[in-house]
């Protein structure tokens, strides 16, 4: 297990207050700097609390890209406020307000941001949610987005290259389409775009290759720990650029490109192959194995953000008993309660079993009971003073 | 919008075709013209008719011109061996205003962008290559915008001009004069460091 992390400046969320956010009319919560649990029946609003934290960290909802749909039904606005405390005692206040039909307002210490991008990364967080399943079941685009989002966190040029690449790609696609419609062909123009595409695409490929090489061992460690080394899993980076240069690839795929009227090869077709025991995870993995795989993926992502960023990220674990057996849940808790992790938020439906899970760990722990948009503050606090 | 007269509606529709003009603004223009002297409005209209009918494009550089060859190309004090390649007429005006350039121009009429349906065939690039092949040109300066489409066009022109014995240059990219370094964006600042210039040259430029 990875425990060799630098002493990161710890920063934890001490207070959260909500007004008209999703099913919460009003709520005030005070958190422990280690483990916080939200327990309650289905539809009570546990995940909505995690989503509010997601807003504070990344300026948007994890689930719904439309901000206005996160306002409580029939209300005109929502407000999320959080107070972060650094280990030197300094306070940081983050405010997010959204009025219907207006732009969302983001403030840090009462000062409004001009660009939301300036905020992202200050309070990093990683969410583990049942919705992650799409990484396995969905198309290759989901997996590329996962790679891109992690790499972009530590490699500033990466995102620039990727945006530039996509722009050249659209131009080249438009050109191929014109060739098809007008039944003509101009090799000289295409060559210009090929050279640009290769120039922007190569750094993307190199960055992805280096990332997967560094990421896979961390991921495999976590999977082994969670599963008790029950099965072997693998992540393979699939790219046609493994065997050939970008220029040759474009030349070779040209006949096909001209028929299809778009670029059929390049880093925009890369994929990650998830395997278990030598077979495809999507087909051969059980639901529990897939879930374990996804959690290991997120924990490895957590380590990457932690080791390349400036602050300890917050970990959000939504519905931990989803598809996992008792044993794996315990292993998961062992991992995230150990060194290398900071503040954690967990949701579960059962008050009893979650309490049991943390009873004898001797780490700060707070349990909140949620009932249809109401928070029963601090049901239980450990260690009891 | 309902108009009291068909004539007003037509006039509004014509104004609304102009870039940046909506129907409300167009109506303001029309009502303004209606308040004016008929003679004044006639002058207003005929100015545009004459503009469109009498203005030509220079046969050499595609700049707008009142004669077959524009004032810049026909000026004996301009150096015909140096050609500056620009996107459109606005760029010619901008460079002329600097009073730093004594060569002639070549106006492309756009930049390559397949997404907007503009290919090399829609621009005056073939004519540019023809000019290059005449053998009288020493240097070509590419002064296009620093966007990706500009780069594409630069690259394409460079490839077409490579076979001729002409030095092809591009305008300098870097920190704007009067800018403070801390406010410069990273890409620009990075390039300014990589493509730094000998200090002696900067003294001479003053």
């Amino acid at each position: 297990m990875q425990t060799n992390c630098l002493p990161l400046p710890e920063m934890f969320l001490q207070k959260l207050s909500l007004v008209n956010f999703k099913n919460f009319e009003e709520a005030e919560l005070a958190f422990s700097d280690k483990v916080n649990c939200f327990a309650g029946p289905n539809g009570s609003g546990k995940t909505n609390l995690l989503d509010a934290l997601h807003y504070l960290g990344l300026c948007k909802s994890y689930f719904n890209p439309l901000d206005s749909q996160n306002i409580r039904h029939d209300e005109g606005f929502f407000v999320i406020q959080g107070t972060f405390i650094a280990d030197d005692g300094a306070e940081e206040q983050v405010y997010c307000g959204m009025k219907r039909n207006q732009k969302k307002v983001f403030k840090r210490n009462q000062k409004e941001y001009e660009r939301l991008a300036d905020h992202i990364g200050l309070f990093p967080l990683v969410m583990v949610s049942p919705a992650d399943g799409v990484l396995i079941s969905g198309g290759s685009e989901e997996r590329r987005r996962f790679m891109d989002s992690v790499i972009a966190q530590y490699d500033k040029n990466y995102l620039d290259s990727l945006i530039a690449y996509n722009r050249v790609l659209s131009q080249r696609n438009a050109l191929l389409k014109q060739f098809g419609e007008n039944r003509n062909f101009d090799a000289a123009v295409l060559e210009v775009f090929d050279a640009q595409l290769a120039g922007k695409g190569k750094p993307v490929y190199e960055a992805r290759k280096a990332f997967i090489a560094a990421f896979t061992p961390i991921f495999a460690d976590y999977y082994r720990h969670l599963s008790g080394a029950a099965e072997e899993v693998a992540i393979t980076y699939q790219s046609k650029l493994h065997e050939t240069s970008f220029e040759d690839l474009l030349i070779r795929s040209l006949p096909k490109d001209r028929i299809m009227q778009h670029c059929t090869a390049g880093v925009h077709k890369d994929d990650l192959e998830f395997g278990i025991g030598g077979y495809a995870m999507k087909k051969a993995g059980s639901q529990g194995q897939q879930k374990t795989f996804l959690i290991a993926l997120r924990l490895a992502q957590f380590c990457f953000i932690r080791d390349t960023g400036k602050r300890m990220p917050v970990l959000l674990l939504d519905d931990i008993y989803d598809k996992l057996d008792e044993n794996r849940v315990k292993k998961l808790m062992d991992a995230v309660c150990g060194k290398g992790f900071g503040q954690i938020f967990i949701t579960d439906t059962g008050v009893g079993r979650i309490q049991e899970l943390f009873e004898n760990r001797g780490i700060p722990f707070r349990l909140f009971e949620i009932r249809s948009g109401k928070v029963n503050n601090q049901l239980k606090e450990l260690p009891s003073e | 919008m309902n108009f009291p007269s068909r004539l007003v509606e037509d006039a509004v529709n014509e104004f609304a075709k102009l870039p940046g003009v909506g129907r409300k603004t167009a109506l303001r223009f029309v009502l303004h013209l209606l308040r004016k002297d008929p003679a004044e409005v006639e002058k207003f209209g005929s100015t545009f008719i004459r503009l469109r009918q009498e203005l030509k494009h220079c046969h050499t550089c595609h700049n707008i011109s009142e004669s077959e060859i524009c004032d810049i190309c026909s000026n004996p004090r301009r150096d015909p061996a140096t050609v500056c390649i620009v996107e459109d007429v606005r760029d010619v005006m901008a460079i002329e205003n600097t009073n730093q350039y004594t060569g002639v121009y070549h106006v492309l009429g756009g930049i390559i962008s397949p997404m907007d349906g503009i290919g090399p065939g829609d621009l005056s690039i073939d004519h540019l290559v023809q000019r290059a092949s005449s053998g009288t040109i020493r240097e070509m300066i590419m002064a296009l915008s620093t966007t990706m489409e500009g780069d594409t066009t630069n690259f394409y022109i460079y490839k077409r001009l490579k076979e001729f014995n002409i030095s092809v240059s591009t305008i300098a990219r870097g920190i704007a004069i009067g800018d403070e370094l801390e406010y410069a964006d990273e890409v620009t600042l990075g390039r300014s460091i990589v493509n730094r210039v000998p200090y002696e040259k900067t003294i001479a430029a003053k």
Side-chain angles (χ1 to χ4, degrees), chain A residues 10-159:
Chain A
E10 290 265 355
M11 161 123 335
F12 78 97
L13 181 66
Q14 191 207 30
K15 259 192 336 211
L16 173 74
S17 78
L18 302 177
V19 181
N20 293 335
F21 182 72
K22 290 196 172 169
N23 70 336
F24 289 90
E25 191 182 342
E26 236 187 316
E28 284 261 355
L29 294 95
F31 298 122
S32 138
D33 64 349
K34 196 63 198 166
V35 181
N36 298 280
C37 292
F38 305 130
N42 291 147
S44 57
K46 307 179 293 292
T47 305
N48 290 345
L49 286 173
L50 295 190
D51 207 22
L53 303 183
H54 199 272
Y55 256 105
L56 291 181
L58 300 171
C59 309
K60 61 178 182 191
S61 163
Y62 182 81
F63 301 96
N64 195 337
L66 287 174
D67 292 317
S68 60
Q69 293 182 358
N70 292 318
I71 302 174
R72 194 173 128 94
H73 299 309
D74 306 323
E75 294 290 345
F77 69 98
F78 75 68
V79 173
I80 306 169
Q81 267 180 294
T83 309
F84 290 85
I85 305 278
D87 47 4
D88 58 4
E91 255 189 37
E92 296 249 28
Q93 286 189 338
V94 179
Y95 167 99
C96 171
M98 167 79 202
K99 265 191 198 151
R100 232 178 255 285
N101 305 324
Q102 281 182 28
K103 239 184 92 209
K104 94 184 125 180
V105 176
F106 236 90
K107 291 182 195 167
R108 177 171 157 227
N109 298 329
Q110 275 85 46
K111 191 167 179 297
E112 191 177 338
Y113 279 104
E114 275 171 34
R115 295 187 324 150
L116 291 184
D118 294 337
H119 179 75
I120 295 168
L122 286 181
F123 306 102
L125 56 84
V126 173
M127 176 102 159
V128 180
S129 147
D132 291 338
V134 71
L135 277 172
I136 291 176
S137 62
S140 59
E141 195 189 338
E142 305 287 343
R143 292 179 285 279
R144 278 194 302 276
R145 192 183 305 146
F146 170 76
M147 260 196 293
D148 295 342
S149 68
V150 185
I151 301 173
Q153 299 255 358
Y154 62 88
D155 186 347
K156 268 197 144 183
N157 296 327
Y158 183 77
L159 206 57

Side-chain angles (χ1 to χ4, degrees), chain B residues 4-19:
Chain B
S5 141
R6 178 90 214 151
L7 292 171
V8 172
E9 186 173 351
D10 286 348
V12 167
N13 286 340
E14 288 306 315
F15 269 126
K17 284 180 188 167
L18 296 176

Side-chain angles (χ1 to χ4, degrees), chain A residues 167-168 171 178 191 195-196, chain B residues 113-115 149 152 155 159:
Chain A
R167 207 173 155 88
V168 181
Q171 290 282 22
Q178 272 171 26
E191 257 175 52
Q196 281 184 309
Chain B
S113 174
M115 272 196 281
E149 287 74 21
T152 307
F155 194 24
K159 288 186 87 143

Side-chain angles (χ1 to χ4, degrees), chain A residues 169-185 190 193-194 253-264, chain B residues 114:
Chain A
L169 187 68
S170 322
Q171 290 282 22
R172 192 177 185 265
N173 283 341
L175 188 68
L176 287 166
K177 202 150 185 231
Q178 272 171 26
F179 288 161
E181 279 165 4
N182 307 334
R183 296 177 188 284
N184 64 352
F185 182 70
L190 198 70
F193 285 107
D194 283 2
S253 57
L254 182 61
K256 200 172 162 202
D257 284 1
R258 285 183 65 183
I259 295 167
M260 305 296 288
Q261 298 183 12
H262 66 249
C263 308
T264 55

Side-chain angles (χ1 to χ4, degrees), chain B residues 13 30 33 53 78 86 92 98 111 114 117 125 135 144 167-168 178 204:
Chain B
N13 286 340
V30 171
L33 288 180
Q53 284 177 345
R78 310 280 305 211
V86 293
V92 174
T98 65
I111 43 179
I125 293 180
L144 302 180
S167 99
V168 179

